[in-house]
């Protein structure tokens, strides 16, 4: 018993010290500008690529140029996707994607699993939407850089992109209470806090206060609940306050571009790609992929 | 004849029931895991690395907390537990083990959650561990204070009264842990049943702390005795004879049991509580404790003056020839382990049982109480004493020697009391000789 307790204490301090030291060194480095904050890298994901290629017409020839693992475009059902960042995250292994880079992969996509051909899951389709760059034979639209400030280092965000990205990138959305009310589920949760709209979908799994406390305020004005931790509690910590901007979509009743909303999702993909985010409690997006 | 059979039935029930205490304590500790499993499909809990780590963190916290409560309850020294665990010494062994397991589980509880955050940002994991959120701080404080106090239990030997203080201060750690559990909101806090169960355990644990630690002087029944005399038996062993202040309030006990004694108002020793085996016969008016000088407290104890006020709590223990069905028995004592057998021998009635007592010591000067034992053996033809002097024999007492001299050991009840390595060696040897484990009874006494 003595040995077990001793070993446990040792493990505890080894891990705790390692995490705290590494965390503080990284944090200090970010503050001093030695490291590029992760979310800025995240923000410059697909949107940056999209801006660079703005105006390019998505012809079959153009798509065919992007035919390797590090630069991989797929044509699926008439839509073009840049999945370069996703290739090595594919649950069905990268080598099943790479041969289809630069080609029409519609058939391959719909018949995964060679032995028993099977379509990709709903979640996979939702995930795919995040990599959409335009329709075939359409010019790439520049992505609109959102007005929101660059969020500080903290929790990355992740959404289950329920098709909003299928709209043209220049489309706009009015962040009205009605619009917010349409995002009231665990897989799609928007919330108004202090007049600002946040997309908290990705944060569920990480909320120290559990998912249910957030869920009750999804699609609503959660200011009061936020201030009292679901009623009767203390206000959130300053650390919690510092996390919120990560999920900021815009002010209430403000018109924002869909791509700005999309940005939050893009950043998540970037985080997934960089291996920082491996999924959440309610997240099964690439489970069946 | 009828009453004899009844006695046997009661003894059998005891021996079955005392197997359930520890498993039952585990069941109470793991019930939160059952609620946790039925609240959400387990597959969903372990869907992704994040969900997996969250789940482990929650589970360890819940079970650790429930086990912490059970550990505290086992410390109440309630006689009721003796039937379930087979003696108060075993209750304390369970307290010791469950406490250690609970502590390890609680240590890993924040670790899993921190590792979960590492999965996407080391910075956020560090901030989680260093969280200034008051509710998380309750948990951090509970864990760090527990760790500090347990270092004294497991690794640094403190003088008894200081150790006892650090151990009692764990009630404060427990209080912090309760605040953490009560105020933290999580997936779990949404289950009314689980909350109710944890709340129930916490209330019971608080009652236990109140009963045993805070108000024990008020609740716990103790017998008032006074020291009559102290007699040195040899260089290291002495005998304290205690008489009840009021002869009508004499503590009744079964031979083989032990008590907790605290001396009050002595200039020689502090009023701390220590356990001692009873060595007097059950019909004697005086209570005799035979004590070996093994530490700081017992070294000074021999100097207490007659008339010192003693508070006796007990009796405790299930180590007695009375409790087992076989009338043919072998008693084996190693050194000071003779004390319960002294009491048992002095209490033997004629035609009670057949017993061979093997008394293993280095030489005759160590054989405390041998003359008393010889006197009993002279009067009772069913009781034999076989002293075994290791120095003379040039080796230790063995199971083979006993099997050869006592005969038919497979059909005898075997009682062992002595230093733990001695008991372990004996137990192994008897089992190798084909004696069933349930026939071997030992008094493991290690309060720490």
């Amino acid at each position: 018993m003595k040995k077990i307790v001793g070993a446990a204490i040792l493990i505890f301090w080894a891990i705790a010290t390692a995490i705290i030291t590494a965390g503080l060194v990284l944090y200090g480095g970010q503050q001093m500008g030695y490291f590029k904050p992760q979310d800025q890298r995240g923000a410059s994901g697909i949107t940056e690529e999209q801006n660079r290629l703005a105006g390019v017409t998505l012809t079959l020839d153009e798509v065919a140029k992007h035919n390797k693992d590090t630069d991989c475009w797929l044509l699926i059902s008439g839509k073009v996707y840049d999945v370069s960042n996703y290739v090595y995250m594919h649950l069905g292994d990268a080598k099943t994607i790479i041969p289809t880079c630069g080609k029409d992969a519609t058939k391959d996509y719909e018949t995964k699993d060679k032995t028993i051909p099977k379509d990709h899951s709903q979640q996979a389709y939702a995930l795919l939407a995040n990599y959409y760059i335009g329709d075939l034979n359409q010019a790439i639209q520049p992505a609109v850089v959102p007005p929101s400030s660059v969020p500080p280092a903290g929790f990355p965000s992740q959404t289950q992109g329920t098709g909003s990205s299928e709209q043209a990138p220049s489309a706009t959305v009015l962040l009205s209470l009605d619009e917010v009310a349409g995002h009231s589920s665990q897989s799609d949760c928007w919330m108004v806090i202090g007049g600002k709209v946040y997309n908290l979908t990705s944060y569920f799994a990480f909320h120290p206060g559990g998912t249910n406390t957030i869920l009750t305020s999804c699609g609503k004005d959660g200011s009061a609940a936020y201030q009292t931790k679901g009623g009767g509690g203390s206000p959130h910590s300053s650390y919690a306050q510092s996390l919120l901007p990560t999920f900021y979509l815009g002010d209430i009743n403000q018109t924002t571009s869909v791509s700005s909303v999309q940005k939050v999702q893009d950043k998540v993909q970037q985080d997934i790609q960089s291996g920082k985010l491996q999924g959440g409690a309610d997240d099964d997006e690439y489970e069946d992929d | 004849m009828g009453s004899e059979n009844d006695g046997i039935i009661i003894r059998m029930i005891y021996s079955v029931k005392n197997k359930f205490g520890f498993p039952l304590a585990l069941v109470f500790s793991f019930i939160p895991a059952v609620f946790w499993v039925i609240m959400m499909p387990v597959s969903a809990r372990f869907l992704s690395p994040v969900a997996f780590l969250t789940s482990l963190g929650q589970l360890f916290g819940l079970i650790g907390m429930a086990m912490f409560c059970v550990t505290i309850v086992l410390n109440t020294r309630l006689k009721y537990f003796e039937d379930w665990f087979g003696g108060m010494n075993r209750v304390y062994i369970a307290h010791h083990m469950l406490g250690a397991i609970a502590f390890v589980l609680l240590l890993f509880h924040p670790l899993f959650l921190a590792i979960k955050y590492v999965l996407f940002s080391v910075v956020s994991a560090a901030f989680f561990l260093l969280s200034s959120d008051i509710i998380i701080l309750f948990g951090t404080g509970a864990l760090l204070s527990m760790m500090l106090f347990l270092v004294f239990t497991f690794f640094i030997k403190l003088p008894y009264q200081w150790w006892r203080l650090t151990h009692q201060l764990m009630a404060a750690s427990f209080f912090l842990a309760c605040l953490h559990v009560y105020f933290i909101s999580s997936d779990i806090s949404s289950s009314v049943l689980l909350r109710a169960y944890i709340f129930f355990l916490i209330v019971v644990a608080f009652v236990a702390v109140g009963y045993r630690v805070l108000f024990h002087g008020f609740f716990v029944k103790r017998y008032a005795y006074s020291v009559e005399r102290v007699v040195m038996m040899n260089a290291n062993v002495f005998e304290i004879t205690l008489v009840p202040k009021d002869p009508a309030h004499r503590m009744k006990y079964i031979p083989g049991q032990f008590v907790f004694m605290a001396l009050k108002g002595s200039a020689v020793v502090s009023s701390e509580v220590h356990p001692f085996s009873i060595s007097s016969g059950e019909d004697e008016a005086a209570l005799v404790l035979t004590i070996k000088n093994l530490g700081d407290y017992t070294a000074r104890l021999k100097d207490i003056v007659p008339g010192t006020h003693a508070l006796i709590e007990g009796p405790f223990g299930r180590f007695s020839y009375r409790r087992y069905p076989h009338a043919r028995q072998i008693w084996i004592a190693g050194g000071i382990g003779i004390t319960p057998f002294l009491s048992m021998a002095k209490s033997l009635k004629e035609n009670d049982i057949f017993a061979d007592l093997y008394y293993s010591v280095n030489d005759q000067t160590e054989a405390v109480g041998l003359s008393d034992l010889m006197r009993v053996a002279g009067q009772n033809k069913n009781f034999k004493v076989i002293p075994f002097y290791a120095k003379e024999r040039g080796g230790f007492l063995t199971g083979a020697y006993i099997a050869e001299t006592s005969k038919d050991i497979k059909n005898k009840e075997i009682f062992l009391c002595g230093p733990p390595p001695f008991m372990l060696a004996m137990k192994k040897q008897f089992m190798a000789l084909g004696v069933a484990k349930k026939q071997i009874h030992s008094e493991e006494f290690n309060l720490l």
Side-chain angles (χ1 to χ4, degrees), chain B residues 23-93:
Chain B
L24 212 61
L26 285 179
V27 166
F28 274 107
S29 307
F30 279 89
I31 282 179
V34 176
F35 285 120
W36 181 89
V37 164
I38 50 182
M39 271 172 63
M40 200 199 271
V42 178
S43 57
R45 297 248 187 224
F46 297 102
L47 210 60
S48 65
V50 168
F52 178 74
L53 287 164
T54 310
S55 299
L56 278 185
Q58 288 174 342
L59 205 54
F60 275 48
L62 276 172
I63 298 171
M65 193 60 195
M67 211 177 265
F68 199 173
C69 294
V70 171
T71 304
I72 290 174
V73 172
L74 290 181
N75 184 44
T76 47
R77 221 179 274 168
L78 287 176
K79 285 187 184 169
Y80 179 73
F81 292 143
E82 290 208 292
D83 292 340
W84 292 94
F85 287 83
M88 193 52 71
N89 49 330
R90 299 237 162 83
V91 177
Y92 273 98
I93 291 169

Side-chain angles (χ1 to χ4, degrees), chain B residues 273-286:
Chain B
V273 180
H274 286 266
F276 297 104
S277 285
I278 301 167
S279 57
S280 46
E282 60 180 332
D283 297 327
E284 293 177 43

